[in-house]
Amino acid sequence: MVSYNSPSQIHLLVITILVIITTLLTPITTNISSLPWSILSNDNFAGKLTTASSSVESASTDFGHITRVFPSAVLNPSSVQDITDLIKLSFDSQSSFPLAARGHGHCHRGQAAAKDGVVVNMRSMVNRDRGIKVSRTGLYVDVDSAWLWIEVLNKTLELGLTPVSWTDYLYLTVGGTLSNGGISGQTFRYGPQISNVLEMDVITGKGEIATCSKDMNSDLFYAALGGLGQFGIITRARIKLELAPKRAKWLRFLYTDFSKFTRDQERLISETDGLHFLEGSVMLDHGSPDNWRSTYYPPSDHMRIASMVKQHGVIYCLEVVKYCDETSQHSVDEEMEELSDSLNYVRGFMYEKDATYMDFLNRVRTGELKLKSKGQWDVPHPWLNLFVPKSQISKFDYGVLKGIILRNNITTGPLLVYPMNRKKWDDRMSTAIPEEDVFYAVGFLRSASFDNWEDYEKENMQVLKFCEDANMGVIQYLPYYSSQEGWVGHFGPRWNVFVERKYRYDPKMILSPGQNIFQ
């Protein structure tokens, strides 16, 4: 039997019970009348288009657990043609209805929602017998966009091949990350995932399906990559592959000096044939050691690390990886030893791990399962992701990390700070990035509770206001704005191109209304 010994535990239990009761007693209402009768009565969608409360409820929320936006219906397509037919029906209708493609639901502010419209459940098209075709001679994989990256990895590894650019978390759909960018510690070397696409199939907002690449329908190709779902629904992507390594030499170094931390990172990403992965993160003096992912360090060192965090308030971790196999492992060991000697970390705080390639790429899964077992996964995630120009990162550290974040003393969850090279991106694609040659990805990957997530939202606003007031040129990644004015500022001089593409490919503003870009 579970015992509740403190007033806070009893208070939390009462709140939880009230939330459950309220949810059970509140009927789910959908505005079915907003959909034309031609959809509901269309035999092509029989058994696929549903207004069942369970489906609508599931589609109304996402990983963020911050917004709740109800569609009128959910389409569970069995083929690309089902999606094409639905978009065409909306486009041809006098009263068009909105649609949004939903993959694994990992949005955090309702970006895949379609108020009073139709959410397309892309995962319903996954067929275990097809959907991932690997070409060993061409070194690419053709993937239906509904597949998860972990599924792509498993399939390509069977043939000794692998994509090269990843996200930290692999349980995301291919179409979802390609609609945003897809970044991680490999980005400095290989570029984001959108820079590693050779070809795509895209259904536009007119219900037209087109195969596109750099040489064919190139404007649509560049528009859809990082296009936030505004110009079409990606249904297939051809991804570059390389020979897969066997193992990952994985080192972590702790720093107390931010300038040394960033200087080492910037030097390492400038080396053309060096590391395969580089990420930085921040450790804060905020309660439990779990806040700085204590499982990454031997238990015997937890007290030493906690003491250093306590002393400095903020310390930094540099995480680097070089891949190898049986024949290169010895030389890689020597290279990493030489690299270690060249870094300016706090001596005595270097940690080494040898992992399989799969275990390294899928490292976040362990944390996910741990949080799920504790009931701490399906909670609000008021995330904030930023691109900060290199010239402003020291000011960001002083004003935000050592200022707002340390002062508020509420941030929990990973806090990432790592650089990438602009030359690995393509300005023809839709993702907005800073103009400087090097810029930093900063990720506040917070987990909150249902009764305090608004405190994190206030902190997010404080961070954004600080950056705006200091004229730092910071750009949101996985962006969200409450008004079109915010989006105009987000895209800056590229806003007009974004608008022109919208009118070209989705003139009735049917697709992805949850992004809140076009009213």
Side-chain angles (χ1 to χ4, degrees):
M1 179 179 291
V2 178
S3 62
Y4 296 90
N5 300 316
S6 70
S8 61
Q9 288 177 308
I10 296 172
H11 178 66
L12 180 59
L13 176 62
V14 171
I15 290 175
T16 303
I17 293 172
L18 289 174
V19 168
I20 293 172
I21 293 173
T22 303
T23 301
L24 292 174
L25 294 180
T26 302
I28 299 172
T29 59
T30 62
N31 189 9
I32 298 176
S33 62
S34 66
L35 298 177
W37 175 248
S38 57
I39 299 179
L40 300 174
S41 60
N42 194 312
D43 290 341
N44 291 338
F45 303 125
K48 301 173 184 178
L49 189 74
T50 177
T51 59
S53 60
S54 58
S55 296
V56 170
E57 166 78 12
S58 178
S60 71
T61 188
D62 53 29
F63 177 73
H65 290 287
I66 290 174
T67 63
R68 176 159 287 192
V69 181
F70 290 97
S72 293
V74 174
L75 177 70
N76 295 300
S78 59
S79 68
V80 170
Q81 191 61 49
D82 289 338
I83 306 173
T84 303
D85 289 346
L86 186 66
I87 295 176
K88 187 68 173 171
L89 200 58
S90 178
F91 181 74
D92 291 340
S93 174
Q94 288 185 340
S95 55
S96 300
F97 53 90
L99 290 97
R102 177 187 172 100
H104 212 215
H106 208 74
C107 301
H108 55 282
R109 294 182 190 278
Q111 287 94 333
K115 180 176 170 55
D116 296 334
V118 179
V119 167
V120 181
N121 173 23
M122 300 296 288
R123 286 288 289 169
S124 71
M125 289 197 299
V126 170
N127 186 317
R128 297 297 164 188
D129 298 324
R130 56 177 172 80
I132 302 180
K133 299 177 182 177
V134 181
S135 171
R136 297 187 69 175
T137 55
L139 287 180
Y140 65 78
V141 57
D142 279 320
V143 188
D144 289 350
S145 65
W147 287 81
L148 305 179
W149 282 101
I150 182 66
E151 295 166 335
V152 176
L153 177 61
N154 284 326
K155 190 70 173 179
T156 59
L157 284 181
E158 291 176 5
L159 297 175
L161 299 172
T162 179
V164 295
S165 186
W166 297 96
T167 51
D168 287 326
Y169 180 60
L170 302 184
Y171 291 75
L172 307 172
T173 61
V174 170
T177 65
L178 296 185
S179 295
N180 288 279
I183 63 171
S184 183
Q186 297 93 352
T187 303
F188 80 92
R189 177 167 178 156
Y190 298 104
Q193 289 181 317
I194 57 176
S195 293
N196 290 272
V197 180
L198 301 173
E199 183 181 280
M200 295 188 298
D201 290 338
V202 178
I203 310 173
T204 71
K206 300 177 182 179
E208 300 168 347
I209 187 163
T211 298
C212 53
S213 67
K214 293 178 180 179
D215 302 314
M216 176 172 48
N217 297 314
S218 60
D219 185 69
L220 178 59
F221 178 75
Y222 293 120
L225 289 169
L228 305 175
Q230 293 303 301
F231 312 112
I233 295 177
I234 300 169
T235 60
R236 177 188 65 90
R238 178 169 290 180
I239 311 295
K240 295 178 187 176
L241 299 178
E242 287 188 359
L243 292 176
K246 301 293 186 183
R247 306 199 67 79
K249 185 76 172 180
W250 192 358
L251 303 181
R252 298 184 188 88
F253 306 90
L254 300 187
Y255 291 72
T256 57
D257 186 309
F258 186 74
S259 63
K260 292 179 180 179
F261 170 66
T262 53
R263 192 162 58 246
D264 279 351
Q265 290 196 78
E266 289 161 17
R267 176 177 65 83
L268 291 172
I269 70 164
S270 71
E271 297 173 357
T272 55
D273 192 30
L275 299 166
H276 294 99
F277 175 95
L278 179 149
E279 276 190 0
S281 59
V282 180
M283 300 179 183
L284 301 168
D285 182 23
H286 285 180
S288 169
D290 284 342
N291 293 348
W292 42 263
R293 298 188 280 185
S294 59
T295 53
Y296 281 12
Y297 306 95
S300 59
D301 267 20
H302 285 187
M303 291 301 294
R304 280 204 316 142
I305 297 173
S307 176
M308 187 161 68
V309 176
K310 186 75 174 176
Q311 178 184 352
H312 294 275
V314 180
I315 68 171
Y316 313 93
C317 173
L318 172 59
E319 198 170 349
V320 299
V321 170
K322 193 169 179 67
Y323 303 143
C324 60
D325 55 28
E326 294 83 355
T327 59
S328 62
Q329 186 161 356
H330 180 69
S331 62
V332 167
D333 287 345
E334 291 181 339
E335 289 177 38
M336 294 298 263
E337 184 176 350
E338 185 177 332
L339 178 145
S340 301
D341 291 340
S342 73
L343 297 178
N344 296 290
Y345 67 98
V346 180
R347 291 302 187 259
F349 289 91
M350 187 272 281
Y351 302 91
E352 181 178 338
K353 184 175 182 179
D354 183 48
T356 66
Y357 180 64
M358 166 62 88
D359 286 347
F360 167 68
L361 290 182
N362 200 28
R363 61 197 178 281
V364 176
R365 180 65 166 172
T366 302
E368 175 193 359
L369 296 176
K370 181 180 178 181
L371 290 171
K372 281 184 173 179
S373 70
K374 296 180 178 181
Q376 297 174 357
W377 183 257
D378 295 319
V379 298
H381 296 96
W383 285 10
L384 178 65
N385 292 275
L386 304 171
F387 289 147
V388 181
K390 170 187 167 181
S391 65
Q392 303 296 318
I393 196 65
S394 292
K395 186 186 296 183
F396 188 91
D397 171 61
Y398 181 77
V400 176
L401 302 181
K402 293 190 179 84
I404 295 170
I405 303 301
L406 199 58
R407 183 170 60 248
N408 289 348
N409 197 31
I410 61 171
T411 289
T412 58
L415 204 173
L416 306 179
V417 181
Y418 61 94
M420 48 190 66
N421 293 309
R422 195 182 199 283
K423 65 183 179 182
K424 298 295 184 178
W425 297 69
D426 192 322
D427 277 336
R428 293 171 292 183
M429 297 176 185
S430 293
T431 305
I433 59 175
E435 291 296 327
E436 294 188 10
D437 291 342
V438 172
F439 58 90
Y440 280 76
V442 178
F444 298 90
L445 309 184
R446 302 176 170 108
S447 296
S449 64
F450 286 97
D451 58 353
N452 77 346
W453 67 266
E454 290 180 329
D455 294 336
Y456 293 89
E457 284 291 88
K458 291 175 183 176
E459 184 170 84
N460 288 342
M461 293 301 104
Q462 290 174 354
V463 171
L464 291 171
K465 186 176 187 305
F466 174 86
C467 295
E468 183 178 357
D469 290 347
N471 196 28
M472 293 172 62
V474 167
I475 294 175
Q476 286 191 47
Y477 174 65
L478 306 179
Y480 179 81
Y481 298 92
S482 59
S483 68
Q484 193 173 84
E485 181 183 2
W487 285 106
V488 173
H490 173 79
F491 286 106
R494 301 175 64 194
W495 169 248
N496 288 340
V497 173
F498 198 87
V499 173
E500 288 169 6
R501 284 172 163 173
K502 184 67 172 178
Y503 279 100
R504 187 177 304 136
Y505 300 115
D506 184 23
K508 288 195 172 183
M509 315 292 176
I510 291 169
L511 301 176
S512 296
Q515 296 284 2
N516 201 38
I517 302 175
F518 300 98
Q519 303 303 319

